[in-house]
Amino acid sequence: MKRIIGYTLFWIAIGMLLALFLPNILVAVLTITLLLIGYNIFCSC
């Protein structure tokens, strides 16, 4: 289950990377946070 959650968070973050073209610092921080959390959950097996 942790791998599925990590995988989902990782791809949500990838999708949000497309939204980085907007000049919004909150989106950038949220994207980086989700990317790191998703990667750590998915790869910590």
Side-chain angles (χ1 to χ4, degrees):
M1 189 65 185
K2 287 176 73 174
R3 286 181 67 97
I4 293 172
I5 293 171
Y7 186 76
T8 303
L9 286 176
F10 180 78
W11 283 108
I12 287 172
I14 294 297
M16 290 181 71
L17 281 174
L18 298 175
L20 279 177
F21 295 109
L22 299 172
N24 190 351
I25 191 66
L26 181 63
V27 174
V29 171
L30 186 60
T31 302
I32 293 169
T33 304
L34 285 177
L35 185 62
L36 291 174
I37 291 172
Y39 181 79
N40 286 333
I41 290 174
F42 185 69
C43 295
S44 66
C45 294

